[in-house]
Amino acid sequence: MKKPSSKIRDEIAKLQEQLKAAETREAERIGRIALKAGLGDIEIDEAELQGAFEDLAKRFRGGKAATNGGKRGGNAGESSASSTQDAAGAAAGGTAEA
């Protein structure tokens, strides 16, 4: 039996609300960790920060984090960890985009 489109729209709206709540919980969790680590005051370009997050995600997913040779160069691991946690702190404060 087929569902009417209005019911499908209602289900989509509920799922979007659940997704937004889950993303908020995740951002707050990461932000708390960053603040505990003392990384709330680090200033970094948003594009560089996103790259650091991507490297960190690859590291924990078992992939090999790539260095882009840019500002982070040879110490990408050090820059990646600190800048990633700083972004999380900003997200917890509601200033970063999730």
Side-chain angles (χ1 to χ4, degrees):
M1 184 173 181
K2 294 182 179 182
K3 292 182 184 179
S5 61
S6 61
K7 186 167 184 165
I8 294 171
R9 281 190 203 91
D10 291 341
E11 290 175 8
I12 290 171
K14 286 181 184 180
L15 290 172
Q16 287 174 332
E17 289 175 20
Q18 290 176 5
L19 176 61
K20 185 175 179 181
E23 288 174 340
T24 299
R25 283 191 308 271
E26 293 166 358
E28 289 172 349
R29 175 181 168 260
I30 293 169
R32 281 191 303 272
I33 293 167
L35 292 174
K36 285 179 184 178
L39 298 172
D41 296 330
I42 295 176
E43 294 185 24
I44 187 170
D45 178 65
E46 189 171 325
E48 185 177 358
L49 185 59
Q50 183 170 347
F53 270 119
E54 291 168 357
D55 290 347
L56 186 64
K58 288 177 187 176
R59 176 181 164 202
F60 284 99
R61 287 187 177 132
K64 184 175 180 181
T67 58
N68 61 8
K71 292 181 183 178
R72 291 183 290 165
N75 62 352
E78 179 183 339
S79 174
S80 177
S82 63
S83 60
T84 300
Q85 292 179 352
D86 180 46
T95 59
E97 296 178 10

Coordinates of all heavy atoms in Angstrom, one line a residue:
M1 N 0.8 -1.2 0.0 CA 0.0 0.0 0.0 C 0.9 1.2 0.0 O 1.8 1.3 0.8 CB -0.9 0.0 1.2 CG -1.9 1.1 1.3 SD -3.0 0.9 2.7 CE -4.0 2.3 2.5
K2 N 0.6 2.2 -0.8 CA 1.3 3.4 -1.0 C 0.9 4.4 0.1 O -0.2 4.5 0.5 CB 1.2 4.0 -2.3 CG 1.7 3.2 -3.5 CD 1.5 3.9 -4.8 CE 2.1 3.0 -5.9 NZ 2.0 3.7 -7.2
K3 N 1.9 5.2 0.6 CA 1.7 6.2 1.5 C 1.3 7.5 0.8 O 1.9 7.8 -0.3 CB 2.9 6.5 2.4 CG 3.3 5.4 3.3 CD 4.6 5.8 4.1 CE 5.0 4.7 5.0 NZ 6.2 5.1 5.7
P4 N 0.4 8.3 1.3 CA 0.1 9.6 0.7 C 1.3 10.5 0.9 O 2.1 10.4 1.8 CB -1.1 10.1 1.4 CG -1.2 9.3 2.7 CD -0.4 8.0 2.5
S5 N 1.5 11.4 -0.1 CA 2.6 12.3 0.0 C 2.7 13.2 1.2 O 3.7 13.5 1.7 CB 2.7 13.2 -1.3 OG 1.5 14.0 -1.3
S6 N 1.5 13.5 1.8 CA 1.5 14.3 3.0 C 2.1 13.6 4.2 O 2.8 14.2 5.0 CB 0.1 14.8 3.3 OG -0.7 13.6 3.6
K7 N 1.9 12.3 4.2 CA 2.5 11.5 5.3 C 4.0 11.4 5.2 O 4.7 11.4 6.1 CB 1.8 10.1 5.4 CG 2.3 9.3 6.5 CD 1.4 8.0 6.7 CE 1.9 7.3 8.0 NZ 0.9 6.4 8.5
I8 N 4.4 11.2 3.9 CA 5.8 11.1 3.7 C 6.5 12.5 4.0 O 7.6 12.5 4.7 CB 6.1 10.8 2.2 CG1 5.6 9.4 1.9 CG2 7.6 10.9 1.8 CD1 5.6 9.0 0.4
R9 N 5.9 13.6 3.7 CA 6.4 14.9 4.1 C 6.5 15.0 5.6 O 7.5 15.6 6.1 CB 5.6 16.0 3.5 CG 5.8 16.3 2.1 CD 5.1 17.6 1.7 NE 4.9 17.6 0.2 CZ 3.8 17.1 -0.4 NH1 2.8 16.6 0.3 NH2 3.7 17.1 -1.7
D10 N 5.5 14.5 6.3 CA 5.5 14.6 7.8 C 6.7 13.8 8.3 O 7.4 14.2 9.3 CB 4.2 14.1 8.4 CG 3.1 15.0 8.1 OD1 3.3 16.2 7.8 OD2 1.9 14.6 8.3
E11 N 6.9 12.6 7.8 CA 8.0 11.7 8.2 C 9.4 12.4 7.9 O 10.3 12.4 8.7 CB 8.0 10.4 7.5 CG 6.8 9.5 8.0 CD 6.7 8.2 7.2 OE1 7.6 7.9 6.4 OE2 5.7 7.5 7.4
I12 N 9.5 13.1 6.8 CA 10.7 13.8 6.4 C 11.0 14.9 7.4 O 12.1 15.1 7.9 CB 10.7 14.3 5.0 CG1 10.7 13.1 4.0 CG2 11.8 15.3 4.7 CD1 10.5 13.5 2.5
A13 N 9.9 15.6 7.8 CA 10.1 16.7 8.7 C 10.6 16.2 10.1 O 11.4 16.8 10.7 CB 8.8 17.5 8.9
K14 N 10.0 15.1 10.5 CA 10.4 14.5 11.8 C 11.9 14.1 11.7 O 12.6 14.3 12.7 CB 9.5 13.3 12.1 CG 8.2 13.7 12.6 CD 7.4 12.4 13.0 CE 6.0 12.7 13.4 NZ 5.2 11.5 13.7
L15 N 12.3 13.5 10.6 CA 13.7 13.0 10.5 C 14.6 14.2 10.4 O 15.7 14.1 11.0 CB 13.8 12.2 9.2 CG 13.2 10.8 9.3 CD1 13.2 10.1 7.9 CD2 13.8 9.9 10.3
Q16 N 14.2 15.3 9.8 CA 15.0 16.5 9.8 C 15.2 17.1 11.2 O 16.3 17.5 11.5 CB 14.5 17.5 8.8 CG 14.6 17.2 7.4 CD 13.9 18.1 6.4 OE1 12.9 18.8 6.8 NE2 14.4 18.2 5.2
E17 N 14.2 17.1 12.0 CA 14.3 17.5 13.3 C 15.2 16.6 14.1 O 16.1 17.1 14.9 CB 12.9 17.6 14.0 CG 12.0 18.6 13.5 CD 10.6 18.6 14.1 OE1 10.4 17.9 15.1 OE2 9.7 19.2 13.5
Q18 N 15.1 15.3 14.0 CA 16.0 14.4 14.6 C 17.5 14.6 14.2 O 18.4 14.5 15.1 CB 15.6 12.9 14.3 CG 14.3 12.5 15.0 CD 13.9 11.1 14.6 OE1 14.6 10.4 13.9 NE2 12.7 10.7 15.0
L19 N 17.7 14.8 12.9 CA 19.0 15.1 12.4 C 19.6 16.3 13.1 O 20.8 16.3 13.5 CB 19.0 15.2 10.9 CG 20.3 15.5 10.2 CD1 21.4 14.5 10.5 CD2 20.1 15.7 8.7
K20 N 18.8 17.4 13.1 CA 19.3 18.6 13.7 C 19.7 18.5 15.2 O 20.7 18.9 15.6 CB 18.2 19.7 13.5 CG 18.7 21.1 14.0 CD 17.6 22.1 13.7 CE 18.1 23.5 14.2 NZ 17.1 24.5 14.0
A21 N 18.8 17.7 15.9 CA 19.1 17.5 17.3 C 20.4 16.6 17.5 O 21.2 16.9 18.4 CB 17.9 16.8 18.0
A22 N 20.6 15.6 16.6 CA 21.8 14.8 16.7 C 23.0 15.6 16.4 O 24.1 15.5 17.1 CB 21.6 13.6 15.8
E23 N 23.0 16.5 15.4 CA 24.1 17.3 15.0 C 24.4 18.3 16.2 O 25.6 18.5 16.4 CB 23.8 18.1 13.7 CG 23.9 17.2 12.5 CD 23.4 17.9 11.2 OE1 22.8 19.0 11.3 OE2 23.8 17.4 10.2
T24 N 23.4 18.8 16.8 CA 23.7 19.7 17.9 C 24.3 19.0 19.1 O 25.3 19.5 19.7 CB 22.3 20.3 18.4 OG1 21.8 21.1 17.3 CG2 22.5 21.2 19.6
R25 N 23.9 17.8 19.4 CA 24.5 17.0 20.5 C 26.0 16.7 20.2 O 26.8 16.8 21.0 CB 23.8 15.7 20.7 CG 22.5 15.8 21.4 CD 21.9 14.4 21.8 NE 21.9 13.5 20.7 CZ 20.8 13.3 19.9 NH1 19.7 14.1 20.1 NH2 20.8 12.4 19.0
E26 N 26.2 16.3 18.9 CA 27.6 16.0 18.5 C 28.5 17.3 18.6 O 29.6 17.2 19.1 CB 27.6 15.4 17.1 CG 26.9 14.1 17.0 CD 26.6 13.7 15.6 OE1 26.9 14.4 14.6 OE2 26.1 12.5 15.4
A27 N 28.0 18.4 18.1 CA 28.8 19.6 18.2 C 29.1 20.0 19.6 O 30.2 20.5 19.9 CB 28.1 20.7 17.4
E28 N 28.1 19.9 20.5 CA 28.3 20.3 21.9 C 29.3 19.4 22.5 O 30.2 19.8 23.3 CB 27.0 20.2 22.6 CG 26.0 21.4 22.2 CD 24.7 21.3 22.8 OE1 24.3 20.2 23.4 OE2 23.9 22.2 22.7
R29 N 29.3 18.1 22.2 CA 30.2 17.1 22.8 C 31.6 17.4 22.4 O 32.5 17.5 23.2 CB 29.9 15.7 22.3 CG 30.8 14.6 22.8 CD 30.4 13.2 22.2 NE 31.5 12.3 22.4 CZ 32.4 12.0 21.5 NH1 32.3 12.4 20.2 NH2 33.4 11.1 21.7
I30 N 31.8 17.7 21.1 CA 33.2 18.0 20.6 C 33.6 19.3 21.1 O 34.8 19.5 21.5 CB 33.2 18.0 19.0 CG1 33.0 16.5 18.5 CG2 34.5 18.5 18.5 CD1 32.7 16.4 17.1
G31 N 32.7 20.3 21.2 CA 33.1 21.6 21.8 C 33.5 21.5 23.2 O 34.5 22.2 23.6
R32 N 32.8 20.7 24.0 CA 33.2 20.6 25.4 C 34.6 20.0 25.5 O 35.5 20.4 26.3 CB 32.2 19.7 26.2 CG 31.0 20.4 26.6 CD 30.1 19.5 27.5 NE 29.8 18.2 27.0 CZ 28.7 18.0 26.3 NH1 27.9 18.9 26.0 NH2 28.5 16.7 25.8
I33 N 34.9 19.0 24.7 CA 36.3 18.4 24.7 C 37.3 19.4 24.3 O 38.4 19.5 25.0 CB 36.3 17.2 23.7 CG1 35.4 16.0 24.3 CG2 37.7 16.7 23.6 CD1 35.1 14.9 23.3
A34 N 37.0 20.2 23.3 CA 38.0 21.2 22.9 C 38.2 22.2 24.0 O 39.4 22.7 24.2 CB 37.5 21.9 21.6
L35 N 37.2 22.7 24.6 CA 37.4 23.7 25.7 C 38.1 23.1 26.9 O 39.0 23.8 27.4 CB 36.0 24.2 26.1 CG 35.2 25.0 25.1 CD1 33.9 25.4 25.6 CD2 36.0 26.3 24.8
K36 N 37.9 21.8 27.2 CA 38.6 21.2 28.3 C 40.1 21.1 27.9 O 41.0 21.2 28.8 CB 38.1 19.8 28.5 CG 36.8 19.8 29.3 CD 36.3 18.3 29.5 CE 35.0 18.3 30.2 NZ 34.5 16.9 30.3
A37 N 40.4 21.0 26.6 CA 41.8 20.9 26.2 C 42.5 22.2 26.1 O 43.6 22.4 25.9 CB 41.9 20.2 24.8
G38 N 41.7 23.3 26.3 CA 42.2 24.7 26.3 C 42.4 25.3 25.0 O 43.3 26.1 24.8
L39 N 41.6 24.8 24.0 CA 41.8 25.3 22.6 C 40.8 26.3 22.2 O 40.7 26.6 21.0 CB 41.8 24.1 21.7 CG 42.9 23.1 22.0 CD1 42.6 21.8 21.1 CD2 44.2 23.6 21.7
G40 N 40.2 27.0 23.1 CA 39.2 28.0 22.7 C 39.7 29.3 22.2 O 39.0 30.0 21.5
D41 N 41.0 29.6 22.4 CA 41.6 30.9 22.0 C 42.4 30.8 20.7 O 43.0 31.8 20.3 CB 42.4 31.4 23.1 CG 41.6 31.7 24.4 OD1 40.4 32.0 24.2 OD2 42.2 31.6 25.5
I42 N 42.5 29.7 20.1 CA 43.3 29.6 18.9 C 42.6 30.1 17.7 O 41.4 29.8 17.4 CB 43.7 28.1 18.6 CG1 44.6 27.6 19.7 CG2 44.4 28.0 17.3 CD1 44.9 26.1 19.6
E43 N 43.3 31.0 16.9 CA 42.7 31.6 15.8 C 43.2 30.9 14.5 O 44.4 30.7 14.4 CB 43.0 33.1 15.7 CG 42.3 33.9 16.8 CD 42.6 35.4 16.7 OE1 42.8 35.9 15.5 OE2 42.5 36.1 17.7
I44 N 42.3 30.5 13.6 CA 42.7 29.8 12.4 C 41.7 30.1 11.3 O 40.5 30.3 11.6 CB 42.8 28.3 12.7 CG1 43.4 27.5 11.5 CG2 41.5 27.7 13.1 CD1 43.8 26.1 11.8
D45 N 42.2 30.0 10.1 CA 41.3 30.2 8.9 C 40.3 29.1 8.8 O 40.7 27.9 9.1 CB 42.2 30.3 7.7 CG 41.4 30.4 6.4 OD1 40.7 31.5 6.2 OD2 41.4 29.5 5.6
E46 N 39.1 29.4 8.5 CA 38.0 28.3 8.4 C 38.4 27.2 7.4 O 38.1 26.0 7.7 CB 36.7 29.0 8.0 CG 35.5 28.0 8.2 CD 34.2 28.7 8.1 OE1 34.0 29.8 8.5 OE2 33.3 28.0 7.5
A47 N 38.9 27.5 6.3 CA 39.3 26.5 5.3 C 40.4 25.6 5.8 O 40.3 24.4 5.7 CB 39.7 27.1 4.0
E48 N 41.4 26.2 6.5 CA 42.4 25.3 7.1 C 41.9 24.5 8.2 O 42.2 23.3 8.4 CB 43.5 26.2 7.6 CG 44.7 25.5 8.1 CD 45.9 26.4 8.6 OE1 45.8 27.6 8.5 OE2 46.9 25.8 9.1
L49 N 41.0 25.0 9.0 CA 40.3 24.3 10.1 C 39.5 23.1 9.6 O 39.6 22.0 10.1 CB 39.5 25.2 10.9 CG 38.8 24.7 12.1 CD1 39.9 24.1 13.1 CD2 38.0 25.7 12.8
Q50 N 38.8 23.3 8.5 CA 38.0 22.2 7.9 C 38.9 21.1 7.4 O 38.7 19.9 7.6 CB 37.1 22.7 6.8 CG 36.3 21.6 6.2 CD 35.2 22.1 5.3 OE1 34.9 23.3 5.2 NE2 34.6 21.1 4.5
G51 N 40.1 21.5 6.8 CA 41.0 20.5 6.4 C 41.6 19.7 7.5 O 41.8 18.5 7.4
A52 N 41.8 20.4 8.6 CA 42.3 19.7 9.8 C 41.3 18.7 10.3 O 41.6 17.6 10.8 CB 42.7 20.7 10.9
F53 N 40.0 19.1 10.3 CA 38.9 18.2 10.7 C 38.9 17.0 9.8 O 38.7 15.8 10.3 CB 37.6 18.9 10.7 CG 37.2 19.6 11.9 CD1 36.9 20.9 12.0 CD2 37.0 18.8 13.1 CE1 36.6 21.6 13.1 CE2 36.6 19.5 14.3 CZ 36.4 20.8 14.3
E54 N 39.0 17.2 8.5 CA 39.0 16.1 7.6 C 40.1 15.1 7.8 O 40.0 13.9 7.8 CB 39.0 16.6 6.1 CG 37.7 17.3 5.8 CD 37.7 18.1 4.5 OE1 38.8 18.2 3.9 OE2 36.7 18.7 4.1
D55 N 41.3 15.7 8.1 CA 42.5 14.8 8.4 C 42.2 14.0 9.7 O 42.5 12.8 9.7 CB 43.7 15.7 8.6 CG 44.3 16.3 7.3 OD1 43.8 15.9 6.2 OD2 45.1 17.2 7.4
L56 N 41.7 14.6 10.7 CA 41.4 13.9 11.9 C 40.3 12.8 11.7 O 40.5 11.7 12.2 CB 40.9 14.9 13.0 CG 40.7 14.4 14.4 CD1 42.1 13.9 15.0 CD2 40.1 15.4 15.3
A57 N 39.3 13.1 10.9 CA 38.3 12.1 10.7 C 38.9 10.9 10.0 O 38.6 9.8 10.3 CB 37.2 12.7 9.8
K58 N 39.8 11.2 9.0 CA 40.4 10.1 8.3 C 41.3 9.3 9.2 O 41.3 8.0 9.2 CB 41.3 10.6 7.2 CG 40.6 11.2 6.0 CD 41.5 11.7 5.0 CE 40.8 12.4 3.8 NZ 41.7 13.1 2.9
R59 N 42.0 9.9 10.1 CA 42.8 9.2 11.1 C 42.0 8.3 11.9 O 42.4 7.1 12.2 CB 43.5 10.2 12.0 CG 44.3 9.6 13.1 CD 45.0 10.7 13.9 NE 45.4 10.1 15.2 CZ 45.7 10.7 16.3 NH1 45.5 12.0 16.3 NH2 46.1 10.1 17.3
F60 N 40.9 8.7 12.4 CA 40.1 7.9 13.3 C 39.2 6.9 12.5 O 38.7 5.9 13.1 CB 39.2 8.7 14.2 CG 40.0 9.3 15.4 CD1 40.5 10.6 15.3 CD2 40.4 8.5 16.5 CE1 41.3 11.1 16.3 CE2 41.1 9.0 17.5 CZ 41.6 10.3 17.4
R61 N 39.1 7.0 11.3 CA 38.3 6.1 10.4 C 39.3 5.0 9.9 O 38.8 4.2 9.1 CB 37.6 6.8 9.3 CG 36.4 7.6 9.8 CD 35.6 8.1 8.7 NE 34.4 8.8 9.2 CZ 34.0 10.0 8.8 NH1 34.7 10.7 7.9 NH2 33.0 10.5 9.3
G62 N 40.6 5.1 10.2 CA 41.5 4.2 9.7 C 42.2 4.5 8.4 O 43.0 3.8 7.9
G63 N 41.8 5.7 7.8 CA 42.5 6.1 6.6 C 43.8 6.8 6.9 O 44.1 7.1 8.1
K64 N 44.5 7.2 5.9 CA 45.7 7.9 6.0 C 45.5 9.4 5.8 O 45.0 9.7 4.7 CB 46.8 7.4 5.1 CG 48.1 8.0 5.3 CD 49.2 7.4 4.3 CE 50.5 8.0 4.5 NZ 51.5 7.4 3.7
A65 N 45.7 10.2 6.8 CA 45.5 11.6 6.7 C 46.6 12.2 5.7 O 47.7 11.9 5.8 CB 45.6 12.3 8.0
A66 N 46.1 13.0 4.7 CA 47.0 13.5 3.7 C 47.4 14.9 4.2 O 46.7 15.7 4.8 CB 46.3 13.6 2.4
T67 N 48.7 15.2 3.9 CA 49.2 16.6 4.2 C 49.1 17.3 2.9 O 49.5 16.8 1.8 CB 50.6 16.6 4.7 OG1 51.5 15.9 3.8 CG2 50.7 15.9 6.1
N68 N 48.7 18.6 3.0 CA 48.5 19.4 1.7 C 49.7 20.2 1.5 O 49.8 20.9 0.5 CB 47.2 20.2 1.8 CG 47.2 21.2 2.9 OD1 48.2 21.4 3.6 ND2 46.1 21.8 3.1
G69 N 50.7 20.2 2.4 CA 51.9 21.0 2.1 C 51.7 22.5 2.3 O 52.6 23.3 2.0
G70 N 50.5 22.9 2.7 CA 50.3 24.3 2.8 C 50.9 24.9 4.1 O 52.0 24.6 4.5
K71 N 50.1 25.7 4.8 CA 50.6 26.3 6.1 C 50.9 25.2 7.1 O 51.8 25.4 7.9 CB 49.5 27.2 6.7 CG 49.3 28.4 5.8 CD 48.2 29.3 6.5 CE 47.9 30.5 5.7 NZ 46.9 31.3 6.3
R72 N 50.2 24.1 7.1 CA 50.5 23.0 8.1 C 51.7 22.3 7.8 O 52.4 21.8 8.7 CB 49.3 22.1 8.2 CG 48.1 22.8 8.8 CD 46.9 21.9 8.9 NE 46.4 21.6 7.6 CZ 45.6 20.6 7.4 NH1 45.2 19.8 8.3 NH2 45.1 20.3 6.2
G73 N 52.1 22.1 6.5 CA 53.3 21.5 6.1 C 53.7 20.2 6.9 O 52.9 19.3 7.0
G74 N 54.9 20.2 7.4 CA 55.5 19.0 8.0 C 54.9 18.7 9.4 O 54.9 17.6 9.9
N75 N 54.3 19.7 10.1 CA 53.7 19.4 11.4 C 52.2 19.4 11.3 O 51.5 19.9 12.2 CB 54.2 20.5 12.4 CG 53.7 21.9 12.0 OD1 53.2 22.1 11.0 ND2 53.9 22.8 12.9
A76 N 51.7 18.7 10.3 CA 50.2 18.6 10.1 C 49.5 18.0 11.3 O 48.4 18.4 11.6 CB 49.9 17.9 8.8
G77 N 50.1 17.0 11.9 CA 49.5 16.3 13.0 C 49.3 17.3 14.2 O 48.2 17.3 14.8
E78 N 50.3 18.1 14.5 CA 50.2 19.0 15.6 C 49.1 20.1 15.3 O 48.2 20.3 16.1 CB 51.5 19.6 15.9 CG 51.5 20.6 17.0 CD 52.8 21.3 17.2 OE1 53.9 20.7 16.7 OE2 52.9 22.4 17.7
S79 N 49.2 20.7 14.1 CA 48.2 21.7 13.7 C 46.8 21.1 13.7 O 45.9 21.7 14.1 CB 48.7 22.3 12.4 OG 47.7 23.2 11.9
S80 N 46.7 19.9 13.1 CA 45.4 19.3 12.9 C 44.7 19.1 14.2 O 43.6 19.4 14.3 CB 45.6 18.0 12.2 OG 44.4 17.3 12.0
A81 N 45.4 18.6 15.2 CA 44.7 18.3 16.5 C 44.3 19.5 17.2 O 43.2 19.6 17.6 CB 45.7 17.5 17.3
S82 N 45.1 20.5 17.2 CA 44.8 21.7 18.0 C 43.7 22.5 17.2 O 42.7 23.0 17.9 CB 46.0 22.6 18.2 OG 46.5 23.0 17.0
S83 N 43.8 22.7 15.9 CA 42.8 23.5 15.2 C 41.5 22.8 15.2 O 40.4 23.4 15.2 CB 43.3 23.8 13.8 OG 43.6 22.6 13.1
T84 N 41.5 21.4 15.1 CA 40.2 20.7 15.0 C 39.5 20.9 16.3 O 38.3 21.1 16.3 CB 40.5 19.2 14.8 OG1 41.2 19.1 13.6 CG2 39.3 18.4 14.8
Q85 N 40.1 20.8 17.4 CA 39.5 21.0 18.7 C 39.0 22.4 18.9 O 38.0 22.6 19.5 CB 40.3 20.5 19.8 CG 40.5 19.0 19.8 CD 41.4 18.4 20.8 OE1 42.0 19.2 21.6 NE2 41.5 17.1 21.0
D86 N 39.7 23.4 18.4 CA 39.3 24.8 18.5 C 38.0 25.0 17.7 O 37.1 25.6 18.2 CB 40.4 25.7 17.9 CG 40.0 27.1 17.9 OD1 39.5 27.6 19.0 OD2 40.1 27.8 16.9
A87 N 37.8 24.4 16.6 CA 36.6 24.5 15.8 C 35.4 23.9 16.6 O 34.3 24.5 16.6 CB 36.7 23.8 14.5
A88 N 35.7 22.9 17.3 CA 34.6 22.2 18.0 C 34.2 23.1 19.2 O 33.0 23.3 19.5 CB 35.1 20.9 18.6
G89 N 35.2 23.8 19.8 CA 34.8 24.8 20.8 C 34.0 25.9 20.3 O 33.0 26.4 20.9
A90 N 34.3 26.4 19.1 CA 33.5 27.4 18.5 C 32.1 26.9 18.2 O 31.1 27.7 18.3 CB 34.2 27.9 17.2
A91 N 32.0 25.7 17.7 CA 30.7 25.1 17.4 C 29.9 25.1 18.7 O 28.7 25.3 18.7 CB 30.9 23.7 16.8
A92 N 30.5 24.7 19.8 CA 29.7 24.6 21.0 C 29.2 26.0 21.5 O 28.2 26.1 22.1 CB 30.6 24.0 22.1
G93 N 30.0 27.0 21.1 CA 29.6 28.4 21.5 C 28.5 28.9 20.5 O 28.0 30.0 20.7
G94 N 28.2 28.2 19.5 CA 27.2 28.6 18.5 C 27.7 29.5 17.4 O 27.0 30.0 16.7
T95 N 29.0 29.6 17.3 CA 29.6 30.5 16.3 C 30.0 29.8 15.0 O 30.2 30.4 14.0 CB 30.8 31.3 16.8 OG1 31.8 30.4 17.3 CG2 30.3 32.2 17.9
A96 N 30.2 28.5 15.1 CA 30.7 27.8 13.9 C 29.5 27.1 13.2 O 28.5 26.8 13.8 CB 31.7 26.7 14.3
E97 N 29.7 26.9 11.9 CA 28.6 26.3 11.1 C 28.8 24.8 11.3 O 29.9 24.2 11.3 CB 28.7 26.6 9.7 CG 28.5 28.1 9.4 CD 28.7 28.4 8.0 OE1 28.8 27.5 7.1 OE2 28.7 29.6 7.7
A98 N 27.7 24.1 11.4 CA 27.7 22.6 11.6 C 27.2 21.9 10.4 O 26.4 22.3 9.7 CB 26.9 22.2 12.8

